[in-house]
Structure formats: C-alpha cells, structure tokens
Amino acid sequence: MGKLKDGVMKRGKTWSYVIRVIDPDTGLSKPKWVGGFATEDEAKEARDDARRAARRGEYVDRSAITVKEYLGDWLDAHALETKPRTLAGYRWLIRQYVEPRIGRQRLQAIRPTTLTKLYQDLLKGGRADGKPLARATVDKVHAVLRKAFNDAVKFEGVLSSNPADRAKRPRRTARPSVEVWNADELRLFLGLMANHRLRAFYRLAAYTGARRGELLNLRWADIDWNAPAVRIRGSVGIVEGERVEGTTKGGRERIVSIDPDTVRELKAHRRRQMADQAKVGDAWPDTGHVFTTGLGEPIYPDTATQLMGKVIRAYNTPDPNEPTKTHLPHARLHDLRHVHATLLLIAGVPMHVVAERLGHADPAITLRIYAHVIRTHAAGVAGIFAAAAAQSDSANAEQNEDDETDEDDGPEASALVPS
C-alpha cells in the first residue's frame, strides 16, 4: 500500500482518495474513502470534484453501480415517455459503442477525461470493421450520455456533476455544403416517376418539404381539398425492422399548403388507389393511408427510399440510343426536403415561413441548416441596398426642391426674407 499524499493514495492495483464530509445524522465531520480509480490523475480529479461538492453540501455517497447497469435502468425508465424509434436508437448507440468500452466501469468513476478518450477512440476506429466512426455518430453518443448522466445528477442523485458537460470532443471539421437539385433536375426526376404508383408521394415530398415518415403516415382525412393543404400530424419509423407510427419529430402538428397541380396529382392518385381497392375487394385494409401498396397495405419506409435511388441509377446508366441525355446527380429522398427549402429561400420566402413548412420548432434551426444558401445568394445584396438608398436619396432631393419652391412662393416666406 502506498503513502497518502494530499488525500490520494494507491491501494493494491487501483487509486483511492479520501475527503471529509458531514454526517447528516450527527452533523460531525468524518473521513470518506472512495477507490477503484485506474490512475492517480483520475483519483485526483475525482477528489477535487468531491471536495467542491462537499463544500456545496452536494456530496454523493459511493455507489457500485456500473455504467452498463445505470444506462440499462435509465433506458427502461424512459421507455414510456420516449418515442420507440428514438429509444431504439439510444439502445443501439449504447450497446454498440458505450458498453464495450466503459460499460464495466463504475458510474461514479467516469471522469470527463474518460469520455474524452472514448470519443477519440470512436473517431479513430469505432466501427465494427475498425474504421473511423463518423463525427455525427460520435456526437449522438455524446448527446445520449450527456442526457443520461444529467438525470443521474438531477433525479437519481448518484452523481454530483455531469462528466459529459466537461468532456472534450475533437474539433469539428467544416463539411462542404450539400449540393441539391435545381428546379430543372427536380422536374426531370418527377418526369421519370410519371408512370409509377408512388409518383404522388415524390411530388408531395418535393412540394411540401415533409419528411418521409410524415408522408407515409398521411391519411386521406388529413387532406383539405378546399384550402388546399395537408395536415402533418404524425410520423412513421422503423424499430427493429417493424413499421411503427408515432408523433412528428418535434411532437407538433402543422398545416402545409399545396398548389393546384399537386392537388390534381393527389386526386389522380386517389382514383388509382380506389381502382386497386375495387380489385382487392373486402381484403383491402381500411387504414385510410394515402400511400399504400397495390393490396392496400401501408408503404414500408425503406421502399420509398430505395426506389428513388434505383430510378436515378437506372436513368444514369449509359444508353446508346440517348448518348447526350442530361445526367441526373444522385440524391436521397431526404434531399427533396432540402430542394423545397432551398428553392423557397432563393425565391425570397421569409425564413420563419420556410421553418414552419419544414416543421422546425425554431427558425434558427432552419438558418443553421441553410446558411450556405443565404451566403451563396447574398452577393447582390450590396447592390440592392445601394440602389434602394440611391432611389431614396433622389426622392428626398426632389422633395426638398418642392419644399423650397413652396417656401419662396408663399406670403409667409416673403415676409421672413430681410429687405
């Protein structure tokens, strides 16, 4: 056993610290030993945190619960108040990236440096094949841990502070802005879908900016033919391979207006669906979904995603009969949402209106996502302002001339001119 130095010492293969805390029953100060730290630095960092917590009267007694045990309990406790798809995402991130690396460590032994190293290791080789993990995925791991550990502080009382708040994540590298289709490319794609049963789906996706799951959740009762508009009130996701319906991403309903051509497209889609229903007869499921298979079953989300990629690849395949045909850049289904927002912003539609159509709770979210669109089309702003200012100056000058003429001609003005 080592020597105690400034409240820290090595006992066996691990390090421990000791602090003095107030016994709530007696009101007297007593020593409190905490061990199990792999290094001296970790023990010192934990000691300093404990000292600060003790001075604030927030010291948390020792618990043997591990990270894996706590996170398992935390996930179970949130099962009723978290969307199934979100909860499944949490479970997958924890099982895949957290438990194999720090799951066996005691929860209270987790320091900011522990999480910093975790993030670095994931970025270097966190994938199953040993390749670097995407920064976006590491950010998701951090977000889940920060939320879970925050509950351990506020509600469970097993942590005195949240180590994720002070963990350092590697600097984010700026990603090039995503190029989205222009209006001509969008028209080309929609033309390719002209004879497909889901042509109205892609039309609605591009002309409303709605998410995939929101459109696949849409019922005919959600369409207001008179406004005309669609009511986005739910979403569809995939949880462990199963199609699951729930609320929208932000949990709020919204009304999105649609144009007359899109209304005609939806009416034509409704007639085709009714023809399918007549063929199937009583076996047709009475779900009311706008987008269904030929047998009336709701569309599986990945079907719409994969179909778009297949159509683009098939079109771009070299054809000796059309050697000069226009190439269509690859795009994802979600990119139709970006096309919708980008074309609106280029046309001068206010940011808050675009945010409302997209279902963003705060226009600041829209601004952050589409800042590159604003920067790209901001080059002529200086000229617009200069022209407006010049026009204003000219109008003021003319007004001043009129005022001076009126003053010279008026009798009151003549009386004020000294002789």
Side-chain angles (χ1 to χ4, degrees):
M1 183 177 293
K3 293 183 179 180
L4 182 65
K5 183 179 179 181
D6 198 16
V8 175
M9 68 179 298
K10 190 172 186 180
R11 300 198 295 185
K13 295 182 179 180
T14 62
W15 289 81
S16 302
Y17 71 82
V18 62
I19 63 169
R20 298 197 70 85
V21 297
I22 302 299
D23 187 327
D25 296 327
T26 65
L28 300 176
S29 174
K30 65 177 185 179
K32 187 71 178 180
W33 282 94
V34 179
F37 299 97
T39 66
E40 182 180 8
D41 287 340
E42 288 184 3
K44 286 182 177 179
E45 188 177 1
R47 174 206 61 195
D48 293 340
D49 288 345
R51 284 176 174 175
R52 287 190 289 268
R55 285 194 294 269
R56 296 192 302 266
E58 299 173 355
Y59 178 76
V60 175
D61 206 352
R62 179 182 173 86
S63 171
I65 190 171
T66 65
V67 172
K68 179 178 180 179
E69 291 169 341
Y70 170 74
L71 291 177
D73 292 343
W74 179 76
L75 289 169
D76 291 341
H78 284 73
L80 295 179
E81 60 185 38
T82 306
K83 295 179 184 178
R85 186 180 180 185
T86 301
L87 190 68
Y90 288 172
R91 290 189 189 278
W92 189 85
L93 288 170
I94 290 171
R95 183 173 61 249
Q96 190 78 9
Y97 303 119
V98 179
E99 290 182 359
R101 292 167 176 81
I102 63 172
R104 294 183 180 180
Q105 295 187 36
R106 284 193 313 107
L107 177 65
Q108 292 179 342
I110 299 299
R111 320 310 314 158
T113 53
T114 310
L115 299 182
T116 297
K117 185 177 185 304
L118 170 65
Y119 303 149
Q120 291 173 341
D121 291 344
L122 290 175
L123 283 172
K124 290 178 181 178
R127 283 177 33 172
D129 58 5
K131 294 182 179 180
L133 193 63
R135 171 60 195 256
T137 306
V138 177
D139 285 344
K140 291 178 182 178
V141 171
H142 169 75
V144 173
L145 291 179
R146 187 172 183 271
K147 181 178 178 64
F149 292 163
N150 196 53
D151 287 349
V153 175
K154 290 186 175 181
F155 305 116
E156 303 299 331
V158 292
L159 289 179
S160 59
S161 63
N162 188 342
D165 286 339
R166 289 176 289 147
K168 297 180 180 179
R169 286 175 290 167
R171 187 182 300 276
R172 179 185 293 273
T173 55
R175 293 186 299 177
S177 58
V178 177
E179 295 295 329
V180 300
W181 284 344
N182 57 34
D184 291 336
E185 291 165 337
L186 174 61
R187 282 193 292 270
L188 173 57
F189 170 72
L190 293 179
L192 296 176
M193 302 303 303
N195 296 319
H196 197 280
R197 67 165 44 253
L198 288 181
R199 57 183 287 183
F201 171 85
Y202 295 103
R203 168 83 187 201
L204 203 58
Y207 279 68
T208 64
R211 300 176 180 90
R212 177 186 75 172
E214 293 171 341
L215 294 177
L216 294 181
N217 184 74
L218 204 63
R219 268 74 166 178
W220 288 111
D222 297 326
I223 298 179
D224 184 340
W225 301 104
N226 296 320
V230 295
R231 181 175 62 150
I232 307 295
R233 59 187 180 89
S235 187
V236 171
I238 302 174
V239 178
E240 297 181 353
E242 296 294 327
R243 186 182 190 277
V244 177
E245 296 191 354
T247 61
T248 62
K249 185 174 182 179
R252 300 181 304 125
E253 294 186 6
R254 68 184 188 278
I255 304 295
V256 182
S257 61
I258 53 177
D259 63 285
D261 285 342
T262 300
V263 171
R264 284 191 284 273
E265 190 70 61
L266 283 172
K267 288 183 177 180
H269 175 72
R270 178 59 173 152
R271 289 193 293 270
R272 288 191 295 270
Q273 188 185 72
M274 291 175 68
D276 289 338
Q277 183 175 357
K279 294 178 183 178
V280 174
D282 293 340
W284 184 274
D286 188 19
T287 64
H289 283 89
V290 173
F291 301 108
T292 62
T293 67
L295 297 177
E297 296 292 340
I299 297 292
Y300 189 73
D302 284 351
T303 299
T305 300
Q306 294 168 1
L307 175 62
M308 183 170 174
K310 290 178 180 178
V311 169
I312 296 172
R313 287 192 297 272
Y315 171 78
N316 286 329
T317 299
D319 185 350
N321 297 321
E322 295 183 78
T324 61
K325 70 177 180 180
T326 304
H327 176 78
L328 183 60
H330 173 74
R332 307 165 303 162
L333 174 54
H334 193 75
D335 290 331
L336 294 181
R337 179 172 166 85
H338 295 323
V339 172
H340 183 78
T342 300
L343 293 181
L344 288 179
L345 291 171
I346 292 174
V349 176
M351 183 68 67
H352 71 278
V353 176
V354 177
E356 179 63 27
R357 288 183 69 84
L358 296 179
H360 289 162
D362 186 345
I365 299 173
T366 316
L367 178 60
R368 184 172 66 252
I369 296 174
Y370 299 102
H372 66 284
V373 177
I374 298 172
R375 287 195 298 270
T376 302
H377 294 84
V381 170
I384 294 173
F385 175 82
Q391 185 176 3
S392 178
D393 289 343
S394 177
N396 288 337
E398 292 177 1
Q399 181 63 47
N400 289 337
E401 290 179 1
D402 291 342
D403 292 344
E404 290 174 0
T405 302
D406 292 342
E407 290 174 356
D408 290 344
D409 294 343
E412 294 85 356
S414 301
L416 293 175
V417 178
S419 57

